[in-house]
């Protein structure tokens, strides 16, 4: 009974762990979207900053609560568009402080010109003259100093009613405290935003994007001499990381063993005559043939490994395994045993579509690339085109791979195609958010033509096109709109098709 309970407990624990891993993986993919990251930052950081300013206000009694509405709206403006027009700590602090100062000047002018309460109503009366003057001064000064900030007009108008929140006998000193409070509070927020943007947001690819930290141990299934461009492409990917390595794999199938059996010479003669079990003799012959095939394959792979190490400078290993019931499963199992997180395989087709081997790789939870070369002699890819459909982890992985292959001296172009002109601004923003997280220079392009027409017109200018395998889409979506690589067959550049596991 206890054994049964223990087995149920362990089974439930394994399910919980699988669920946790799956949820963590899904959350990481969700947070890779720049829009989701910004919304989450706004949701978590702005309340914390306002709480911090409130705590300071309660402890030192110099920050009036009337200041908090423009401070909160200005903080949202900063974090909601970190690369926008108003996303400047200097402009934020200068704008809010200038507005407070201009509002204070407007009150002073109103008091000393008897225009503060011309009707003599008394009480908390806001002079239209002071309000107009505060806005006029704020607009002019912020324009001249390049401190234009929407919240500056809020702090200017709040200065008109600020004395109501202070002691009547200390109105002038309260105005000084009000301007100083705006400066202190806005400085706290601006400093927090500056740290968040410089240390986290601009480096989000390093902290959040899996492709920038992994995919440096690359397994390459080698079937023939024609797979050498695939191995070189994989070596360029791995060489971008200091810990990168390439594992060249050959799967020995039954056809190769049968061919070795036909070419092996079996000595005969009186000295070789032995009384052995026929079944055992047959087994030994098969083992000898497999060893011969494995040795020949290993020698071929070792020669290729030496060539890669010499030209690229990345460590190479050689693995030869026997073919199992499914070649793709054999490759994936070997990749896990060799501690590889990326499989780069030659592109294969069967009956006009993907081969069962490539489909098996694209159904796995391991990152995979199917490489289709057009020039067998090409060993460097300096001009790389990355067409993307939308933002996400697949787009980030493709851009990262392009950056690795092109190197510091190469050029990477990221493009997308739109159907209507009113989609252009949103598409440009999406591309900007995609490339700004990576180091290096990028070109972004938005085209009104179809993806097929765009690639057909520009393929001659690039050495390589990296596109997605669309395995993150549903079967119905792929049926309605087939993946781009299935619609493109005659490009003048090499093609790499990326699957995110």
């Amino acid at each position: 009974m206890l054994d049964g309970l223990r087995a149920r407990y362990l089974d439930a624990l394994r399910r919980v762990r699988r669920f946790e891993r799956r949820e963590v993986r899904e959350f990481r993919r969700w947070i890779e979207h720049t829009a989701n990251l910004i919304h989450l930052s706004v949701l978590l950081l702005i309340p914390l900053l306002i709480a911090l300013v409130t705590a300071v206000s309660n402890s030192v009694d110099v920050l009036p609560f009337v200041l908090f509405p423009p401070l909160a709206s200005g903080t949202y403006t900063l974090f909601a568009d970190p690369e926008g027009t108003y996303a400047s700590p200097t402009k934020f602090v200068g704008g809010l402080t200038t507005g407070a100062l201009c509002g204070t000047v407007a009150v002073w002018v109103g008091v000393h010109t008897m225009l503060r309460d011309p009707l003599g109503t008394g009480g908390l009366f806001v002079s239209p003259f002071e309000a107009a003057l505060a806005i006029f001064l704020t607009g002019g000064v912020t324009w001249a100093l390049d401190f234009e900030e929407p919240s500056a007009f809020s702090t200017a108008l709040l200065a008109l009613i600020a004395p109501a929140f202070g002691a009547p006998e200390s109105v002038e000193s309260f105005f000084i405290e009000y301007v100083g409070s705006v400066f202190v509070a806005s400085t706290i927020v601006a400093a927090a935003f500056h740290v968040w943007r410089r240390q986290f947001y601009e480096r989000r690819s390093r902290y959040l994007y899996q492709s920038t930290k992994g995919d440096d141990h690359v397994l390459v299934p080698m079937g023939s001499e024609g797979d050498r461009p695939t191995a070189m492409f994989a070596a360029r990917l791995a060489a971008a990381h200091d810990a990168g390595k390439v594992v060249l794999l050959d799967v020995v199938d039954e056809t190769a063993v049968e061919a070795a059996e036909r070419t092996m010479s079996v000595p005969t003669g009186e000295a070789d005559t032995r009384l052995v079990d026929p079944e055992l003799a047959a087994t030994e012959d098969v083992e000898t043939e497999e060893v011969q095939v494995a040795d020949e394959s290993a020698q071929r792979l070792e020669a290729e490994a030496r060539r890669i190490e010499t030209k690229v400078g990345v460590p190479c290993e050689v693995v030869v395994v026997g073919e199992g019931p499914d070649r793709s499963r054999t490759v994936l199992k070997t990749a896990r045993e060799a501690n590889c997180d990326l499989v780069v395989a030659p592109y294969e087709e069967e009956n006009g579509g993907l081969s069962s081997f490539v489909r098996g790789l694209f159904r796995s939870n391991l990152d995979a690339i199917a490489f289709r070369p057009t020039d067998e002699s090409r060993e460097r890819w300096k001009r790389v085109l990355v067409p993307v459909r939308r933002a996400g982890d697949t787009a980030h992985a493709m851009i990262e791979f392009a950056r690795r292959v092109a190197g510091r001296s190469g050029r990477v172009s990221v493009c997308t195609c739109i159907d209507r002109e009113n989609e252009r601004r949103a598409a440009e923003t999406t591309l900007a958010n995609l490339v700004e997280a990576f180091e290096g220079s990028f070109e972004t392009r938005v085209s009104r033509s179809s993806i097929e027409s765009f690639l057909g017109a520009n393929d001659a200018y690039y050495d390589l096109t990296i596109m997605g395998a669309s395995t993150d889409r549903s079967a119905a979506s792929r049926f309605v709109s087939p993946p781009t690589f299935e619609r493109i067959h005659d490009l003048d550049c090499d093609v790499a098709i990326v699957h995110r596991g």
Side-chain angles (χ1 to χ4, degrees), residues 73-387:
S73 63
T75 305
Y76 176 82
T77 302
L78 279 178
F79 283 90
D81 191 6
E83 303 293 341
T85 305
Y86 304 110
S88 167
T90 302
K91 184 177 293 187
F92 177 75
V93 176
L96 266 65
T97 305
T98 299
L101 185 61
C102 291
T104 301
V105 171
V107 173
W108 185 89
V109 172
V111 170
H112 288 79
T113 57
M114 304 303 293
L115 293 175
R116 181 171 180 77
D117 188 3
L119 299 179
T121 57
L124 181 60
F125 178 82
V126 178
S127 169
F129 169 77
E130 293 179 2
L133 182 60
I135 295 300
F136 175 78
L137 291 176
T138 301
V141 176
T142 55
W143 182 18
L145 298 178
D146 195 23
F147 283 165
E148 292 177 291
E149 166 68 34
S151 297
F153 297 93
S154 298
T155 56
L157 291 178
L158 286 175
L160 307 183
I161 61 172
F165 297 88
E169 64 275 7
S170 60
V171 173
E172 293 183 355
S173 62
F174 186 84
F175 278 127
I176 298 176
E177 293 180 357
Y178 174 69
V179 175
S181 300
V182 171
F183 176 78
V184 172
S186 59
T187 300
I188 294 174
V189 172
F193 168 76
H194 178 73
V195 172
W196 172 81
R197 185 174 66 176
R198 289 291 299 273
Q199 301 300 324
F200 178 74
Y201 180 76
E202 293 180 352
R203 303 181 181 181
R204 60 191 182 275
S205 63
R206 180 185 307 175
Y207 301 129
L208 300 178
Y209 298 174
Q210 289 292 90
S211 59
T212 62
K213 295 183 292 185
D215 292 333
D216 49 8
H217 292 182
V218 187
L219 180 78
V220 185
M222 300 282 289
S224 63
E225 293 293 335
D227 297 337
R228 295 179 66 179
T230 304
M232 183 58 67
F233 173 76
R236 297 292 179 188
L237 288 177
H241 287 180
D242 294 336
K245 74 171 183 178
V246 176
V247 178
L248 302 181
L249 169 69
D250 192 13
V251 180
V252 179
D253 56 10
E254 294 181 359
T255 304
V257 175
E258 292 174 356
E261 181 181 3
R262 290 192 298 268
T263 59
M264 285 183 65
S265 59
V266 181
T268 59
E270 193 173 314
D272 298 316
T273 304
R274 293 177 295 172
L275 297 176
V276 296
D277 186 352
E279 295 183 359
L280 179 60
T283 303
E284 290 178 349
D285 289 341
V286 172
E287 291 178 352
T288 303
E289 294 154 4
E290 291 180 348
V291 169
Q292 178 187 352
V293 173
D295 287 342
E296 293 175 353
S297 177
Q299 292 175 6
R300 177 174 57 85
L301 294 185
E302 287 172 357
E304 181 65 20
R306 287 192 296 270
R307 187 180 75 91
I308 290 176
E309 290 179 348
T310 302
K311 291 196 172 186
V312 184
V314 63
C316 286
E317 299 178 3
V318 170
V319 177
V320 180
V321 298
E323 185 179 30
D326 188 323
R327 185 183 170 207
S328 61
R329 290 184 181 180
T330 302
V331 171
L332 294 172
K333 179 182 177 182
T334 306
R336 296 186 180 93
E337 293 175 349
N339 194 28
C340 293
D341 46 14
L342 173 65
V343 176
V344 177
Y347 182 85
E348 297 179 1
E349 287 187 342
E350 291 177 358
N351 301 322
L354 279 180
S355 67
S356 58
F357 169 65
V358 177
R359 285 200 304 268
L361 296 180
F362 283 177
R363 284 195 294 263
S364 71
N365 58 359
L366 199 67
D367 291 352
I369 296 178
F371 185 72
R372 186 173 68 192
T374 57
D375 185 356
E376 300 289 340
S377 62
R378 181 180 287 135
E379 296 183 345
R380 297 194 68 89
W381 298 265
K382 286 298 184 181
R383 297 172 299 170
V384 185
L385 176 66
V386 184

